[in-house]
Amino acid sequence: MDTRGRVTRDGIRIYEPGDFAGMHAAGKLAATILDDVAEHVFVGQTTAAIDDFIRFSVEEAGATSATIGYKGYQHASCISVNHVVCHGIPGEKKLKDGDILNIDVTVIVDGWFGDTSRMYVAGKLSRKSERLVQVTHDALMRGIEAVRPGNTFGDIGHAIQSFVEAQRMSVVRDFCGHGLGQVFHAPPNVLHYGRAGTGPVLEEGMFFTIEPMVNLGRPETKVLSDEWTAVTRDKSLSAQFEHSVGVTAEGVEIFTLSPAGRFHPTYG
Ligand code: MF3
Ligand code: CO
Ligand code: CO
């Protein structure tokens, strides 16, 4: 493993300027797959068929799925429908009209990890779901706007939490974003709630994800007996968006921007 670069006292690796290119390439592939998967989401489709397309796309690009074989997980994506918060396992259940789903893909390109997720809809998006998806998307972007050297991880969490709660929705506490780079999950835990000015200080060369999960109801979750699928305890709808980002001298580079400009569901 490559051990260049410095590690902060919080255990956060500081990557070098030349490392951004690798993250850009990995992020671009993951984002392209999320662009291309949109046409595979429709009423009557199974989430297993969506995952098959993703697995094929990763292979075709000559890349590797980071999730297949990760802690025993066997799929190229996580697909989380309606009240599933995250880590939904693709399966034979068919999508119904109005279902909202998060598709989360992580790829490895030349040793660099690209991790991103977006929301999709089968059939017609209800007003209630549209609002949830919009708020979750905007919460992620507000978190990203707080990324610049000298700000803290608490500033990111605070930006997300204050925005979401002002809309009378809730932020999931049980799952968080994470450092990544030449590994999938590394320090720090990137919390999507918190107080401004707290937590580690952001430095140029930090790579991590921001991936807020937002519920229409209460924030509590539970993991089902399959030991992966996390759901809202109150069965309320949940949404999530995820980008992989790097801290630059000026602010932030988003590695997983949609090449087709389709990151937001209503664009596609
Ligand atoms: N991509 C997820 C994340 O955002 C992790 C999925 S791990 C899996 O960190 F094993 F469930 F696929
Ligand atoms: Co992630
Ligand atoms: Co992810």
Side-chain angles (χ1 to χ4, degrees), residues 87-188:
H87 302 162
I89 301 175
E92 296 304 324
K93 205 167 150 192
K94 290 184 164 73
L95 294 172
K96 301 185 307 296
D97 188 33
D99 281 350
I100 57 168
L101 51 150
N102 174 277
I103 304 180
D104 190 341
V105 173
T106 311
V107 299
I108 313 171
V109 176
D110 295 332
W112 297 96
F113 285 70
D115 185 6
T116 183
S117 79
R118 300 179 202 163
M119 296 302 293
Y120 299 81
V121 61
K124 192 173 159 10
L125 190 61
S126 74
R127 293 291 291 274
K128 181 173 90 163
S129 299
E130 184 175 8
R131 214 179 129 246
L132 171 65
V133 168
Q134 182 76 51
V135 167
T136 309
H137 173 267
D138 294 351
L140 168 61
M141 299 319 286
R142 287 193 183 224
I144 291 173
E145 282 168 19
V147 178
R148 72 180 73 100
N151 274 7
T152 70
F153 280 95
D155 291 331
I156 298 171
H158 175 74
I160 293 167
Q161 182 184 16
S162 58
F163 175 73
V164 168
E165 292 180 353
Q167 314 296 318
R168 309 185 65 80
M169 298 181 193
S170 67
V171 174
V172 169
R173 313 289 205 269
D174 302 337
F175 299 92
C176 55
H178 49 92
L180 86 173
Q182 289 178 310
V183 291
F184 194 172
H185 292 111

Side-chain angles (χ1 to χ4, degrees), residues 21-245:
M23 289 300 286
H24 182 84
K28 185 174 176 186
L29 175 62
T32 301
I33 292 171
L34 289 188
D35 285 344
D36 296 345
V37 82
E39 65 185 84
H40 297 266
V41 176
F42 47 82
V43 175
Q45 173 73 312
T46 67
T47 53
I50 295 171
D51 186 70
D52 284 343
F53 170 77
I54 293 167
R55 182 188 313 239
F56 170 81
S57 301
V58 174
E59 273 169 27
E60 193 183 43
T64 304
S65 164
T67 54
I68 298 173
Y70 177 79
K71 295 185 177 171
Y73 194 78
Q74 293 180 1
H75 306 272
S77 62
C78 296
I79 304 184
S80 302
V81 182
N82 293 338
H83 75 298
V84 179
V85 172
C86 63
H87 302 162
I89 301 175
E92 296 304 324
K93 205 167 150 192
K94 290 184 164 73
L95 294 172
K96 301 185 307 296
D97 188 33
D99 281 350
I100 57 168
L101 51 150
N102 174 277
I103 304 180
D104 190 341
V105 173
T106 311
V107 299
I108 313 171
V109 176
D110 295 332
W112 297 96
F113 285 70
D115 185 6
T116 183
S117 79
R118 300 179 202 163
M119 296 302 293
Y120 299 81
V121 61
K124 192 173 159 10
L125 190 61
S126 74
R127 293 291 291 274
K128 181 173 90 163
S129 299
E130 184 175 8
R131 214 179 129 246
L132 171 65
V133 168
Q134 182 76 51
V135 167
T136 309
H137 173 267
D138 294 351
L140 168 61
M141 299 319 286
R142 287 193 183 224
I144 291 173
E145 282 168 19
V147 178
R148 72 180 73 100
N151 274 7
T152 70
F153 280 95
D155 291 331
I156 298 171
H158 175 74
I160 293 167
Q161 182 184 16
S162 58
F163 175 73
V164 168
E165 292 180 353
Q167 314 296 318
R168 309 185 65 80
M169 298 181 193
S170 67
V171 174
V172 169
R173 313 289 205 269
D174 302 337
F175 299 92
C176 55
H178 49 92
L180 86 173
Q182 289 178 310
V183 291
F184 194 172
H185 292 111
N189 288 332
V190 180
L191 306 182
H192 304 114
Y193 59 93
R195 286 171 42 192
T198 64
V201 175
L202 297 167
E203 293 182 44
E204 182 180 353
M206 289 180 174
F207 296 162
F208 53 89
T209 73
I210 307 178
E211 47 182 297
M213 287 139 275
V214 174
N215 299 346
L216 276 183
R218 293 196 48 82
E220 290 81 11
T221 70
K222 66 176 179 189
V223 176
L224 300 185
S225 58
D226 62 25
E227 293 181 4
W228 284 105
T229 312
V231 299
T232 54
R233 280 191 176 265
D234 65 4
K235 303 234 169 52
S236 66
L237 284 178
S238 187
Q240 179 178 28
F241 284 86
E242 175 176 26
H243 270 314
S244 298
V245 305

